[in-house]
C-alpha cells in the first residue's frame, strides 16, 4: 500500500490504483485529532522467499526492511504487528526492531505497539496485549489490553457475499465497548473497505449509530478508568473518574479507588428490568448520594438497600441503547483491590497474567 523498494512492482503505486494509499491516509489523519496507526502483516504467505524453508531470506530482505520503511516514511503513532503463530520473534527480528524503535527511531518517544511479534509472544510481551481476536476476559487485567473485533462477524476484509444479518448490531457493539472499557481494555473495531476504497453503507450506519451513543456518553468513556468494581451482573458495568488526581498512585494505577467526595462513578445499564428499578449492590449509600442520567442530567430517586442502592427509572423513556448513570458521593470503599482479588480467585497468576480458566472469550458468532 506504499511505494516500497523492497516490494518493487508489487505495491499500490507500481500497479493497481497507482496511489500511495498509506501516505494519503496519513495526510488526511493529520487534519484531525485522530492518532494515525498502521497495521503490518509480517506474513506474506505465498511470497517465494517466505516459502523457502530453513531460511530467513524473507524477513532479511522483505518484512524487516519494510518495518523500518513504514516507521521512517510515515511515523505512525501505533504499530499493530501481525506475526504470531508460524514464526518466532527471532525469525521476524522483533527484538532488533523494537530496540531500534524505542531507542533511536523518529517516533521513539510516542509510539505504541501491540503484542504479535512472533510465536508465543502474544499476551506476554508488548505495549498493549491482544491475547486473541475478540478477547473479552470479563474481568480487570493489570495491563492495558485490547478487544479486536469485526463489524462483519465472518471476516476482517471485504466480503461480497456478506448479508445484513452478518453485521453486528449497534447494541452488540455498545455491549462490547462497555464490557471492554470497564475492564481496562481498548476496543479495536475492524471493517473492510471494498477494492474501490468504499465503505459499505451498512458499516457506515453502524458506525454513526455507535458514534452517536458514544458522543452522548463521552464523559463516561473518554479519559475514564476502571472502577474498584467492574460489574454487578452481566448487564451492569462501571467506569470512573477522579475529580482531583491522587498524589500517590502506587499499585492502584489500573483502577480508581472509591472516595466519597473524589470519585465519579459511571454505571452502564445494558438491560433494564420491566419494573424499572435497577439494583446497584456495589454502590454504597450516603446522605449526599447523587444519581443522574448522564446524557440528560436528570436526577433520579435512590433508595438504600441491604446491599448498595436501588435506582428508580420508572418515569424514563428507555431507548434500546445502554443507559448511562452518573453517580456522585457514594460511600468510600477501603481495602478492596480487584487485581489481588482476581489473583486469590485464580483468574490471574502472580505476575498478573490471566490463567487458563480466566480466558472467557465470549462471542456469539465465532
Ligand atoms: C528444514 O529443517 C528441518 C528441521 O531441521 C528438516 O527436517 C527439513 O528437512 C529441512 N528442510 C529443508 C528444505 O532443508
Ligand atoms: C461480571 O461479568 C463476568 C463476565 O461476564 C461474569 O462472569 C461475572 O459473574 C459478573 N460479575 C457479577 C458480580 O455478576
Amino acid at each position: 500500500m506504499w511505494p516500497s523498494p523492497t516490494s518493487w512492482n508489487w505495491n499500490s503505486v507500481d500497479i493497481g490504483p497507482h496511489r500511495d494509499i498509506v501516505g494519503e491516509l496519513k495526510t488526511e489523519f493529520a487534519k484531525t485529532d485522530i492518532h494515525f496507526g498502521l497495521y503490518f502483516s509480517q506474513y506474506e504467505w505465498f511470497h517465494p522467499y517466505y516459502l523457502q524453508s530453513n531460511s530467513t531470506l524473507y524477513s532479511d530482505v522483505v518484512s524487516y526492511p519494510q518495518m523500518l520503511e513504514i516507521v521512517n516514511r510515515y511515523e505512525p503513532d501505533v504499530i499493530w504487528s501481525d506475526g504470531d503463530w508460524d514464526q518466532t520473534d527471532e525469525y521476524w527480528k522483533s527484538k532488533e526492531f523494537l530496540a531500534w524503535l524505542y531507542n533511536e527511531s523518529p517516533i521513539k518517544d510516542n509510539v505504541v505497539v501491540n503484542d504479535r511479534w512472533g510465536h508465543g509472544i502474544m499476551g506476554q510481551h508488548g505495549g498493549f496485549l491482544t491475547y486473541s481476536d475478540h478477547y473479552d476476559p470479563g474481568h480487570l487485567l493489570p495491563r492495558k489490553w485490547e478487544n479486536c473485533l469485526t463489524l462483519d462477524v465472518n471476516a476482517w476484509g471485504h466480503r461480497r457475499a456478506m448479508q445484513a444479518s452478518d453485521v453486528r448490531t449497534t447494541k452488540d457493539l455498545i455491549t462490547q465497548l462497555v464490557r471492554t472499557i470497564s475492564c481496562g481494555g481498548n476496543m479495536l473495531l475492524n471493517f473492510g473497505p471494498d477494492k474501490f476504497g468504499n465503505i459499505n453503507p451498512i458499516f457506515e450506519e453502524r458506525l454513526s449509530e455507535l458514534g452517536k451513543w458514544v458522543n452522548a456518553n463521552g464523559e463516561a468513556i473518554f479519559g475514564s478508568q476502571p472502577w474498584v468494581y467492574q460489574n454487578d451482573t452481566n448487564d451492569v458495568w462501571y467506569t470512573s473518574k477522579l475529580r482531583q488526581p491522587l498524589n500517590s498512585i502506587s499499585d492502584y494505577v489500573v483502577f480508581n479507588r472509591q472516595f466519597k467526595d473524589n470519585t465519579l462513578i459511571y454505571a452502564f445499564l445494558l438491560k433494564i428490568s420491566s419494573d424499572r428499578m435497577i439494583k446497584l449492590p456495589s454502590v454504597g449509600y450516603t446522605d449526599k448520594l447523587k444519581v443522574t442520567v448522564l446524557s440528560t442530567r436528570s436526577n433520579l430517586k435512590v433508595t438504600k438497600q441491604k446491599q448498595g442502592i436501588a435506582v428508580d427509572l420508572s418515569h424514563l423513556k428507555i431507548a434500546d441503547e445502554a443507559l448511562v448513570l452518573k453517580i456522585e458521593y457514594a460511600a468510600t470503599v477501603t481495602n478492596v483491590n480487584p487485581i489481588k482479588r482476581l489473583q486469590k480467585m485464580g483468574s490471574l497468576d502472580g505476575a498478573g497474567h490471566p490463567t487458563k480458566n480466566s480466558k472467557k472469550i465470549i462471542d456469539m458468532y465465532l
Side-chain angles (χ1 to χ4, degrees):
M1 296 292 176
W2 80 93
S4 171
T6 61
S7 194
W8 177 78
N9 237 353
W10 190 240
N11 65 64
S12 65
V13 174
D14 288 344
I15 57 167
H18 302 291
R19 289 167 69 168
D20 175 0
I21 291 168
V22 178
E24 288 184 31
L25 278 173
K26 162 98 184 169
T27 304
E28 292 307 310
F29 271 71
K31 298 174 188 165
T32 73
D33 60 358
I34 305 173
H35 286 279
F36 179 67
L38 290 176
Y39 167 93
F40 183 74
S41 174
Q42 301 285 352
Y43 294 97
E44 207 180 304
W45 277 276
F46 304 107
H47 195 291
Y49 290 173
Y50 183 70
L51 293 171
Q52 287 199 11
S53 39
N54 302 354
S55 138
T56 57
L57 186 59
Y58 172 75
S59 58
D60 291 338
V61 305
V62 182
S63 61
Y64 184 73
Q66 286 186 351
M67 286 197 285
L68 304 182
E69 281 173 32
I70 61 168
V71 170
N72 287 323
R73 269 186 85 101
Y74 302 108
E75 305 193 355
D77 297 323
V78 182
I79 299 175
W80 210 103
S81 161
D82 216 359
D84 204 281
W85 314 291
D86 294 345
Q87 298 293 349
T88 61
D89 58 305
E90 233 163 87
Y91 178 89
W92 299 127
K93 306 175 212 312
S94 296
K95 275 186 218 155
E96 283 114 296
F97 173 71
L98 291 167
W100 170 77
L101 185 70
Y102 283 111
N103 289 317
E104 289 162 58
S105 83
I107 50 177
K108 63 184 166 64
D109 297 326
N110 302 311
V111 68
V112 175
V113 303
N114 71 336
D115 60 346
R116 299 193 183 179
W117 296 99
H119 180 76
I121 305 297
M122 189 161 68
Q124 298 299 315
H125 304 289
F128 58 91
L129 306 179
T130 63
Y131 291 100
S132 69
D133 293 353
H134 312 267
Y135 184 63
D136 174 15
H139 63 69
L140 191 62
L141 295 180
R143 287 183 57 185
K144 196 72 191 172
W145 60 276
E146 182 166 276
N147 179 357
C148 44
L149 69 159
T150 52
L151 270 178
D152 172 359
V153 297
N154 289 317
W156 290 85
H158 172 71
R159 208 163 53 92
R160 275 185 285 188
M162 185 184 79
Q163 305 198 349
S165 58
D166 297 332
V167 182
R168 280 178 202 277
T169 62
T170 303
K171 184 60 188 280
D172 183 24
L173 296 171
I174 290 173
T175 300
Q176 292 286 330
L177 179 65
V178 164
R179 295 176 60 94
T180 301
I181 62 175
S182 299
C183 297
N186 174 49
M187 186 168 104
L188 181 154
L189 183 58
N190 163 276
F191 51 92
D194 68 14
K195 65 180 174 186
F196 303 106
N198 291 328
I199 291 169
N200 191 313
I202 198 169
F203 293 162
E204 183 184 344
E205 186 178 65
R206 290 292 194 280
L207 292 171
S208 61
E209 282 171 1
L210 178 62
K212 230 183 273 166
W213 181 84
V214 165
N215 286 339
N217 297 288
E219 181 186 324
I221 300 167
F222 300 112
S224 70
Q225 285 262 95
W227 188 40
V228 67
Y229 299 108
Q230 280 65 63
N231 60 322
D232 275 336
T233 65
N234 257 315
D235 300 317
V236 177
W237 295 82
Y238 295 105
T239 62
S240 66
K241 278 185 180 169
L242 297 179
R243 291 181 205 274
Q244 300 290 331
L246 300 182
N247 293 325
S248 125
I249 47 175
S250 66
D251 54 339
Y252 295 100
V253 191
V254 295
F255 64 94
N256 284 324
R257 284 187 281 169
Q258 173 56 33
F259 303 102
K260 177 167 164 267
D261 293 318
N262 201 26
T263 308
L264 306 169
I265 309 164
Y266 302 96
F268 297 82
L269 314 180
L270 296 174
K271 213 187 266 171
I272 292 164
S273 57
S274 51
D275 66 358
R276 303 280 187 81
M277 287 296 280
I278 192 99
K279 290 202 170 120
L280 304 176
S282 297
V283 177
Y285 184 86
T286 65
D287 292 338
K288 238 177 123 183
L289 190 71
K290 187 176 170 201
V291 181
T292 51
V293 176
L294 179 63
S295 58
T296 62
R297 309 275 161 194
S298 74
N299 261 299
L300 297 169
K301 203 172 141 254
V302 178
T303 46
K304 186 172 192 270
Q305 304 288 295
K306 216 183 210 158
Q307 223 204 329
I309 61 168
V311 184
D312 182 0
L313 307 172
S314 58
H315 65 289
L316 293 182
K317 209 171 135 246
I318 308 284
D320 276 349
E321 293 88 14
L323 187 72
V324 185
L325 307 182
K326 179 175 182 175
I327 302 168
E328 297 166 81
Y329 307 109
T332 295
V333 173
T334 50
N335 291 329
V336 175
N337 183 325
I339 298 293
K340 288 190 176 142
R341 192 181 59 212
L342 288 161
Q343 284 174 326
K344 220 179 257 174
M345 282 165 48
S347 302
L348 294 176
D349 67 18
H353 288 296
T355 58
K356 280 211 175 69
N357 44 0
S358 97
K359 289 195 178 177
K360 290 198 193 101
I361 299 159
I362 299 160
D363 194 282
M364 53 177 106
Y365 309 98
L366 293 173

